[in-house]
Amino acid sequence: ETGEASEHPWTGWWWPMLDTTNPNLYDSNGPLEKYDKYYKLIDANSSKEWEKHFLYTDGPRGHQSLNDWAGHCHAWAAASYLFPEAKNPILLNNILFHIGDLKGLVDECYYDGANYNVITGGGHPTPEKFWTLIRTWIKGKNKVLIMDLKPEEAIYNYPVYKYIVTYNVINEDNYNCNFTIYYASDFATEDKPFFDYNYIGTFEKSKTYTFTIKLDSIGNILNQGVWTSAEEGPDVIWRAEMEEPITGGNPHVKLSDV
């Protein structure tokens, strides 16, 4: 069984809050500083200063008690299919906005500004729930699903847009399943050798899970199933929908001005 969304997410960067993991949105000559310079935002109206006050950390549970893994991965994952990809740099008033800058500004608008729907209801999905949601949304509705793909405290969200599942019979109606999902990478740590701040398109990655499950003769799922892979599926499955106007997050960056 296969399925692929008509929405195709674009690759971007997860914009960490930790000042020793770069680049950051609040960097000198970074996306927010350029935005402030163009729109002449200073002091209390500066998007960069707001970011450094609220979404910056210098270590584990440091400034603002933020985790050192905290960033904008959820915002990028949402923006990657809800907003058109920037594909060309722009020179405005002698300020050069690179593709990465433009993507970063869009991500900032989605930090807390879309309708985030946790469709698993929170918590870890069973194989049956995992397969049913993917079959319903990616294959049935041609929609992207966002998944936290790291089974640990740290949260790593990725937009998943394609899947392939193969299965073989164990006995009667019991099957072994190999389930591969395909997602756009945000050039996290394991992708660093390929990191390109201005990458255009979808840098595709994949992850395969295995489980046993009961199926009838036409592929209907008959029980919850049991994970057999080391990683027992994603932690959470969710989806973002566009909300107008974009609200929340950095109050000094407006999607209409990006």
Side-chain angles (χ1 to χ4, degrees), residues 46-103:
S46 165
S47 65
K48 175 182 173 179
E49 292 308 310
W50 185 95
E51 188 83 4
K52 289 203 75 171
H53 182 76
F54 292 104
L55 299 179
Y56 160 91
T57 187
D58 52 7
R61 297 295 179 183
H63 179 75
Q64 296 292 338
S65 294
L66 295 166
N67 287 298
D68 57 359
W69 48 261
H72 295 66
C73 67
H74 69 291
W76 157 72
S80 72
Y81 65 88
L82 290 175
F83 199 84
E85 180 180 27
K87 295 184 177 180
N88 296 287
I90 299 175
L91 182 65
L92 297 170
N93 293 352
N94 291 317
I95 304 168
L96 179 60
F97 290 86
H98 296 287
I99 292 170
D101 296 325
L102 297 170
K103 289 185 176 184

Side-chain angles (χ1 to χ4, degrees), residues 168-176 212-215 222:
N168 56 79
V169 66
I170 303 171
N171 55 61
E172 297 182 357
D173 53 3
N174 293 295
Y175 290 82
N176 281 319
T212 60
I213 204 164
K214 286 182 179 291
L215 302 172
L222 302 177

Side-chain angles (χ1 to χ4, degrees), residues 14-176:
W14 63 286
W15 300 107
M17 298 177 192
L18 184 64
D19 64 358
T20 54
T21 304
N22 311 105
N24 310 107
L25 286 169
Y26 52 73
D27 285 342
S28 177
N29 203 37
L32 294 178
E33 184 173 295
K34 292 179 181 181
Y35 183 90
D36 288 346
K37 188 179 296 185
Y38 179 75
Y39 285 105
K40 297 180 172 58
L41 303 178
I42 60 173
D43 302 328
N45 293 319
S46 165
S47 65
K48 175 182 173 179
E49 292 308 310
W50 185 95
E51 188 83 4
K52 289 203 75 171
H53 182 76
F54 292 104
L55 299 179
Y56 160 91
T57 187
D58 52 7
R61 297 295 179 183
H63 179 75
Q64 296 292 338
S65 294
L66 295 166
N67 287 298
D68 57 359
W69 48 261
H72 295 66
C73 67
H74 69 291
W76 157 72
S80 72
Y81 65 88
L82 290 175
F83 199 84
E85 180 180 27
K87 295 184 177 180
N88 296 287
I90 299 175
L91 182 65
L92 297 170
N93 293 352
N94 291 317
I95 304 168
L96 179 60
F97 290 86
H98 296 287
I99 292 170
D101 296 325
L102 297 170
K103 289 185 176 184
L105 292 171
V106 171
D107 295 347
E108 183 77 337
C109 295
Y110 281 88
Y111 184 82
D112 190 26
N115 180 16
Y116 298 139
N117 177 25
V118 182
I119 59 179
T120 50
H124 193 72
T126 63
E128 179 271 336
K129 185 74 169 178
F130 172 69
W131 194 348
T132 298
L133 287 173
I134 289 177
R135 178 183 277 174
T136 299
W137 285 88
I138 296 180
K139 185 178 179 68
K141 299 183 179 182
N142 301 122
K143 300 290 188 181
V144 165
L145 288 175
I146 300 173
M147 302 186 191
D148 173 9
L149 296 180
K150 296 294 179 74
E152 54 191 52
E153 179 192 4
I155 299 170
Y156 295 86
N157 291 293
Y158 294 94
V160 177
Y161 62 95
K162 183 170 65 175
Y163 75 98
I164 299 174
V165 57
T166 59
Y167 44 91
N168 56 79
V169 66
I170 303 171
N171 55 61
E172 297 182 357
D173 53 3
N174 293 295
Y175 290 82
N176 281 319

